[in-house]
Amino acid sequence: MKDWFYAFFMAWGMFLAIPCPFPRWCESARGKMLTCLPLTGVLLGGLWALLAWALARLHVSGPMAALALAAFPWLATGFLHLDGFMDVCDAVLSRRDLETRQKILKDSRCGAFAVISMVLLGLAQWSVCFGAAQDRAEALLPLAAIPVASRAAAALTVSHLRPMKTSQYAGGATMPRGQTCIVCLFLLAALMLPPVFAGLPGLAALVTAAVYALAAHYGFRQLDGMSGDISGYALTLGELLGLAYLYFWR
């Protein structure tokens, strides 16, 4: 149990920019960090929903509310996943041979494709959040579930897909069956509970997970393996499309 306690706060410190109340590292808990990734989604999703509720109660104008809601998940994760999104866009959109695409992925410099993709992503995220701050309580649970679904999908994908040779996950062990079951339970909860309480808008988490899977598969095929950058790319697109689905049902 002690290792699980450490693993959660280690995952918090690594995957969130929100100040961690227990910044400790325990090497024996390292293998449980990915399993705790959906829990960071619970924290992030809860704060995201709370922000939406507060914006509605304060009657913040549509454009400003949209900016706050669109930027919050990026700010709360320290732009971690956006970095992967931009790197993958640079590599894949170059349309070069596989070896060159893999080199571009690891290049710390920001290319034109990354900049263009980031501008379009920002406009899209702001657009789907425009006017999103509202007081309907049934819309808050689907919003809170989106980061849980994306991170559960990320934990399963990163653990079970073959990593790129240059990935930080290369040589890492596959998540044990018991831990895989725990992550699957988080994913099922994120997919099934919101529709029960919110109806069709509650399917936003399902859209998020489905888009994550498609984007991760695309990145895997294009770059011949899985990596943290590809996971960030897929997570960013999954959450965008989950938001789009949710707010088209407003």
Side-chain angles (χ1 to χ4, degrees), residues 79-89 105 228-230 232-233:
F79 308 102
L80 175 67
H81 306 300
L82 286 183
D83 178 66
F85 171 80
M86 295 178 72
D87 286 343
V88 172
C89 287
L105 182 70
D229 285 333
I230 295 173
Y233 166 80

Side-chain angles (χ1 to χ4, degrees), residues 154-173:
L156 293 171
T157 305
V158 166
S159 175
H160 292 286
L161 283 183
R162 174 177 54 82
M164 293 174 57
K165 293 180 180 179
T166 57
S167 169
Q168 67 267 43
Y169 300 110

Side-chain angles (χ1 to χ4, degrees), residues 163-199:
M164 293 174 57
K165 293 180 180 179
T166 57
S167 169
Q168 67 267 43
Y169 300 110
T174 301
M175 188 185 297
R177 181 178 299 178
Q179 294 184 35
T180 298
C181 290
I182 293 173
V183 176
C184 287
L185 287 175
F186 274 109
L187 182 58
L188 286 174
L191 299 184
M192 296 177 66
L193 290 180
V196 171
F197 294 99

Side-chain angles (χ1 to χ4, degrees), residues 2-14:
K2 179 180 178 181
D3 277 353
W4 285 108
F5 178 81
Y6 275 97
F8 168 66
F9 286 106
M10 287 161 61
W12 181 336
M14 178 167 288

Side-chain angles (χ1 to χ4, degrees), residues 4-178:
W4 285 108
F5 178 81
Y6 275 97
F8 168 66
F9 286 106
M10 287 161 61
W12 181 336
M14 178 167 288
F15 298 111
L16 295 175
I18 302 168
C20 180
F22 189 74
R24 300 288 188 276
W25 184 269
C26 179
E27 190 61 31
S28 63
R30 180 196 289 269
K32 296 179 173 65
M33 284 179 61
L34 273 182
T35 311
C36 292
L37 187 57
L39 281 174
T40 67
V42 173
L43 176 61
L44 179 62
L47 292 175
W48 206 2
L50 180 62
L51 174 63
W53 177 84
L55 291 170
R57 286 291 184 266
L58 295 173
H59 303 290
V60 178
S61 64
M64 292 303 297
L67 177 61
L69 286 175
F72 176 77
W74 300 344
L75 292 169
T77 54
F79 308 102
L80 175 67
H81 306 300
L82 286 183
D83 178 66
F85 171 80
M86 295 178 72
D87 286 343
V88 172
C89 287
D90 243 353
V92 171
L93 294 177
S94 70
R95 297 178 176 85
R96 306 290 291 276
D97 59 90
L98 175 61
E99 184 179 356
T100 304
R101 291 198 300 270
Q102 291 179 338
K103 287 181 179 179
I104 293 173
L105 182 70
K106 291 301 177 183
D107 194 333
S108 60
R109 293 170 294 181
C110 184
F113 293 120
V115 174
I116 294 168
S117 298
M118 187 60 231
V119 170
L120 292 175
L121 176 70
L123 289 173
Q125 186 114 331
W126 182 85
S127 297
V128 298
C129 289
F130 183 76
Q134 33 70 39
D135 56 3
R136 293 191 307 157
E138 65 269 20
L140 299 180
L141 180 58
L143 178 62
I146 285 176
V148 183
S150 63
R151 281 154 182 78
L156 293 171
T157 305
V158 166
S159 175
H160 292 286
L161 283 183
R162 174 177 54 82
M164 293 174 57
K165 293 180 180 179
T166 57
S167 169
Q168 67 267 43
Y169 300 110
T174 301
M175 188 185 297
R177 181 178 299 178

